[in-house]
Amino acid sequence: MNQEEEISQLKNELLQLHEQTKLQHQKIMELYQRLQQIAPDVSKKVSYKPKIGVPAFALENFIGLKLMHFIGIVVLVIGLSIGVKYAIDRNLISAVMRIALAYAAGGVLFFLSLQLKERYLLFSAILLSGAMASLYFTTYAAYVYYAMTSFAVAFVIMTGLTFFTVYQALRYNRQEIAMLGLVGAYTIPFLISANAGRADLFFLYILLINIGIVYLTVKKEWMATGMVAQLVTWVLFLGWAGARFEAKWMATGLIFMIAFFLLFYFNAMAEIFFYQKKNDVEVSVTSRMGLKTSGLLSLRINNMALYGGCLVLFGQYYTNPGYALITLAMAGLLAAQAGIFYFVWKDAAVKKFMASFSFVLFVIFIALAWTGLTVTLLWLLTAVIVFAIGAVQKWPVTRMAAVILMGATLIKLVLIDSLVFTTVQKVIAYVLLGVLLLVVSFFYQKFREKLFGGD
């Protein structure tokens, strides 16, 4: 070995050690931050200050080493997909040849990833993710578009690819593999076909991949991957339900909507459902802190998507009362979740969101189920009940929700109801609302020191 080769080898080894050191430092920081969250007293005894220098952010470094190859593999897969579509439209090659070439392209990317793994770990991970996405779609296309395999064979192959991709993501310890190889796999079919005819197979395909994503999210705490998968899945489902849904797909849509909701709910709640042991500190479920911001956001998206999905699926066959029943059912589901988080897991942030969302939906339910003066009177009654609960339990947020509803009722009364109400209805509405506002104001005056102290 001459001097230049030796220098090159040492340089590559140094780069690899530097990359591994950064990864270890990042892992230590994640563990220490987690320890601070679940056991602040213990974390004070295990203080950690980084001993290594972490390079500052550099735009060229970020573009050249992280962003460029990520975009490159996406562009490559899109280009291959468009090329396949062109060949299909022009009948340039047979169906067997199309599938064979697609498998070959995936195989070449996988072979290159193996060859480059030792010297260029990150680049190898990106190539591997592109290979997995290509193989996923090729297997899916071979069954759905060309009927070249049976359902059992396609399902077994895709299940094997899921296990293999999860294994490689854990082995590389790279979130990019999960992000591109798994999440990207179920967006590729839209580059080739609208896939309107086999919604059941398409959503089964997505569900299978999502199971692998959720496993990785729970195992490695890769919340970004889980969030991207959740957003893409719900966008695809709601887009299909709004644009291509037919009555014959009602059962299919309902089953997969519930499956996606439960799967991503589990994903968001994983940190509460499982015991975690960090640095020999075990924390029980009942003493855990609340969900992180990402988990709370995931729950919000999940519940909103479920409500939207129910409106789209059932709303096409039901008139206004149908929307009202769906809204009432969703309000009840959210209220039940708020109760669980309040009494079992003691998570204030989640409880507030669930209770607030439930309250808003109940108000909307009243507006959908009734009209005219009845809506105004029921809103006022709801405001009275909610304000009373907030006063007894000393919950400021609940009291403010009631006050906001009173304000909304007043705005509705002035801008809308005044145009359609009879004189008698106007008198009843204005008098009741005025009396209620005065009573609430007197309550604040009488108990201002208990509510606000000396302010």
Side-chain angles (χ1 to χ4, degrees):
M1 180 182 297
N2 56 40
Q3 186 176 10
E4 291 183 358
E5 291 178 347
E6 185 176 1
I7 292 174
S8 177
Q9 182 178 355
L10 290 173
K11 182 179 178 180
N12 290 329
E13 290 179 358
L14 181 62
L15 290 174
Q16 289 181 15
L17 288 173
H18 178 66
E19 185 71 21
Q20 293 174 2
T21 303
K22 288 196 298 183
L23 291 175
Q24 292 298 324
H25 167 71
Q26 182 180 359
K27 185 64 176 177
I28 291 173
M29 290 301 297
E30 291 175 355
L31 292 173
Y32 181 65
Q33 291 171 2
R34 185 62 182 157
L35 180 62
Q36 286 181 314
Q37 291 179 347
I38 64 176
D41 295 335
V42 177
S43 66
K44 295 178 181 178
K45 302 177 182 178
V46 195
S47 61
Y48 171 73
K49 296 181 180 180
K51 301 296 183 182
I52 61 172
V54 181
F57 174 81
L59 181 60
E60 185 178 7
N61 180 290
F62 173 73
I63 294 175
L65 296 181
K66 295 182 180 296
L67 186 61
M68 191 173 293
H69 56 242
F70 188 91
I71 296 176
I73 197 66
V74 173
V75 172
L76 175 60
V77 173
I78 291 175
L80 291 173
S81 302
I82 295 174
V84 171
K85 186 177 187 303
Y86 179 83
I88 294 172
D89 294 339
R90 300 294 189 279
N91 290 320
L92 299 179
I93 54 178
S94 65
V96 175
M97 185 60 67
R98 297 167 196 165
I99 297 300
L101 289 176
Y103 272 123
V108 169
L109 290 176
F110 178 69
F111 176 76
L112 289 175
S113 72
L114 294 179
Q115 295 300 310
L116 298 174
K117 182 180 179 182
E118 299 230 352
R119 297 181 64 183
Y120 307 101
L121 183 65
L122 180 57
F123 190 67
S124 171
I126 296 297
L127 291 178
L128 177 65
S129 64
M132 291 301 100
S134 176
L135 295 175
Y136 262 114
F137 171 67
T138 303
T139 305
Y140 174 79
Y143 173 63
V144 175
Y145 301 142
Y146 306 115
M148 294 176 60
T149 63
S150 65
F151 171 77
V153 172
F155 187 80
V156 168
I157 293 175
M158 286 195 291
T159 302
L161 288 173
T162 300
F163 279 109
F164 184 74
T165 306
V166 169
Y167 168 74
Q168 291 294 341
L170 293 173
R171 186 181 177 191
Y172 274 79
N173 194 29
R174 303 298 308 192
Q175 192 167 186
E176 291 88 346
I177 296 178
M179 190 77 75
L180 280 174
L182 292 173
V183 178
Y186 54 61
T187 61
I188 294 175
F190 283 89
L191 298 173
I192 303 294
S193 169
N195 193 43
R198 299 307 306 265
D200 53 343
L201 296 178
F202 180 62
F203 288 129
L204 181 61
Y205 169 72
I206 290 179
L207 182 63
L208 175 64
I209 299 174
N210 279 340
I211 292 173
I213 293 173
V214 169
Y215 175 79
L216 284 174
T217 303
V218 173
K219 180 75 174 178
K220 304 295 292 185
E221 296 186 8
W222 290 343
M223 294 304 297
T225 302
M227 288 292 295
V228 171
Q230 183 181 29
L231 287 172
V232 173
T233 298
W234 280 121
V235 167
L236 292 177
F237 181 84
L238 294 176
W240 166 81
R244 301 188 178 278
F245 177 74
E246 299 177 9
K248 63 181 181 179
W249 293 115
M250 175 62 79
T252 298
L254 188 60
I255 290 172
F256 283 107
M257 181 177 67
I258 295 173
F260 291 145
F261 175 79
L262 294 176
L263 183 64
F264 288 119
Y265 205 101
F266 172 81
N267 180 59
M269 295 290 294
E271 60 185 285
I272 289 181
F273 287 157
F274 294 103
Y275 291 98
Q276 292 194 2
K277 195 172 184 180
K278 299 289 182 72
N279 295 338
D280 296 325
V281 179
E282 189 170 348
V283 182
S284 66
V285 172
T286 55
S287 63
R288 292 292 305 278
M289 294 179 66
L291 288 175
K292 298 177 182 177
T293 302
S294 55
L296 178 57
L297 179 60
S298 180
L299 286 182
R300 290 174 177 172
I301 294 172
N302 217 32
N303 280 280
M304 290 179 180
L306 178 66
Y307 177 55
C310 289
L311 290 179
V312 174
L313 289 182
F314 295 104
Q316 301 184 43
Y317 301 99
Y318 298 99
T319 55
N320 203 44
Y323 286 115
L325 291 175
I326 293 171
T327 302
L328 179 61
M330 192 68 202
L333 177 61
L334 288 162
Q337 294 179 61
I340 292 174
F341 277 97
Y342 178 71
F343 292 106
V344 179
W345 290 311
K346 313 293 184 183
D347 194 315
V350 180
K351 177 203 69 177
K352 289 178 181 178
F353 164 73
M354 297 297 181
S356 301
F357 195 9
S358 176
F359 175 71
V360 170
L361 290 184
F362 184 75
V363 171
I364 295 174
F365 157 71
I366 293 175
L368 292 173
W370 290 278
T371 58
L373 182 62
T374 305
V375 174
T376 302
L377 296 178
L378 288 175
W379 277 10
L380 291 177
L381 178 61
T382 302
V384 170
I385 295 173
V386 171
F387 189 87
I389 294 174
V392 172
Q393 297 293 331
K394 299 180 180 180
W395 292 340
V397 175
T398 305
R399 295 196 301 268
M400 277 305 302
V403 172
I404 291 173
L405 181 55
M406 294 176 199
T409 306
L410 177 59
I411 294 173
K412 172 179 176 292
L413 183 59
V414 173
L415 298 181
I416 300 175
D417 296 342
S418 295
L419 302 176
V420 295
F421 276 9
T422 64
T423 303
V424 174
Q425 289 176 327
K426 291 178 183 178
V427 170
I428 294 173
Y430 275 102
V431 169
L432 286 176
L433 180 57
V435 170
L436 179 58
L437 290 174
L438 290 175
V439 170
V440 171
S441 177
F442 176 75
F443 171 86
Y444 278 113
Q445 294 295 326
K446 183 176 178 61
F447 299 102
R448 64 176 182 269
E449 291 191 4
K450 291 184 178 179
L451 294 175
F452 311 115
D455 297 337

